[in-house]
Amino acid sequence: MRSEPLLELDGIDAGYGGAQVLFGLSFAVRAGEVVTLMGRNGMGKTTALRTLFGLLPATAGRILINGRDMTGAPPHRIAAAGLGYVPEGRQIFPRLTVMENLVATARPGTGRGWTLERVLALFPRLGERAHNMGPQLSGGEQQMLAIGRALMTNPDLLVLDEATEGLAPVVRADIWRALAALRAEGLAILVVDKNLDALLRLADRHVVMEAGRLAWSGTTAELKADPTLATRFLEV
Ligand SMILES: Nc1ncnc2c1ncn2[C@@H]1O[C@H](COP(=O)(O)OP(=O)(O)OP(=O)(O)O)[C@@H](O)[C@H]1O
Ligand SMILES: [Mg+2]
């Protein structure tokens, strides 16, 4: 018997006030899978993730987590259901230290067992900056902190919006290495980023959006096999 997807979006409509942005968006992520959400600027990737996390209402469709209907649930319930969010722009708590950021939203594990110790082993830089306040950190350190904070909720699925945006190349490489390590231990990941090569190396499957709709989805092998896809949906 095949298990339920960890996450399923089914026919989601959403938008801002009267402006509809998502039109019947459907895709799924299974346990242990790494899936990308791709598309040019303004196609609705962030809107999809904000809707998923209960920050925007879905005006149609359903959001299922482990088969349970979570449509309309507030962000803390989405987190409690097993989704960890690394939002666009990091959004770390500016008045808290690194350590305080990590524990502020922490939640005991459902088996993955993320602790402060393990997060600091994944990102040693955070240990060196333990008592610094959020705004004193570099962009890369802030992103490590945002990822560490999400891991401290012991998610089954880690969701990252613009995983490496605005970071120096060496720091980007650190983030991709960390995500590969998380993948290797079986964590499911849903990731938005602009670096196609890095996404192709990391992910199993890809979901491509155009104008708020699902434009294409398939495996890394399928995406690599059709170079016209990148031209049609991804390149500016
Ligand atoms: N707060 C907002 N109020 C009104 N419209 C918005 C708001 N945020 C985004 N939009 C619009 O929704 C559409 C989708 O934007 P969204 O940020 O989801 O795209 P994206 O795929 O994440 O783009 P990017 O790659 O630039 O991050 C765009 O037309 C954008 O102008
Ligand atoms: Mg975005």
Side-chain angles (χ1 to χ4, degrees), residues 2-12 25-37 52 62-67 157 188-191 204-208 214 216-218:
R2 246 184 133 186
S3 60
E4 305 271 14
L6 195 49
L7 169 68
E8 190 171 4
L9 272 68
D10 176 20
I12 293 293
L25 183 66
S26 299
F27 67 87
V29 181
R30 295 190 169 274
E33 237 188 349
V34 179
V35 176
T36 75
L37 188 57
L52 167 58
R62 293 187 314 158
I63 294 167
L64 305 173
I65 300 176
N66 288 314
L157 172 65
I189 302 174
L190 175 62
V191 56
D204 303 294
R205 283 198 306 113
H206 310 274
V207 172
V208 179
L214 179 72
W216 184 87
S217 75

Side-chain angles (χ1 to χ4, degrees), residues 34-110:
V34 179
V35 176
T36 75
L37 188 57
M38 296 205 250
R40 292 192 183 90
N41 290 337
M43 291 302 168
K45 305 178 297 293
T46 296
T47 303
L49 299 186
R50 290 178 55 80
T51 305
L52 167 58
F53 277 89
L55 297 164
L56 272 179
T59 52
R62 293 187 314 158
I63 294 167
L64 305 173
I65 300 176
N66 288 314
R68 279 181 54 212
D69 191 340
M70 299 296 289
T71 321
H76 70 270
R77 283 196 52 222
I78 301 295
L83 269 58
Y85 192 23
V86 180
E88 196 170 27
R90 347 271 190 225
Q91 298 179 26
I92 59 171
F93 306 122
R95 288 185 186 77
L96 301 184
T97 66
V98 165
M99 283 302 163
E100 290 165 345
N101 262 279
L102 288 172
V103 299
T105 53
R107 176 177 90 84
T110 51

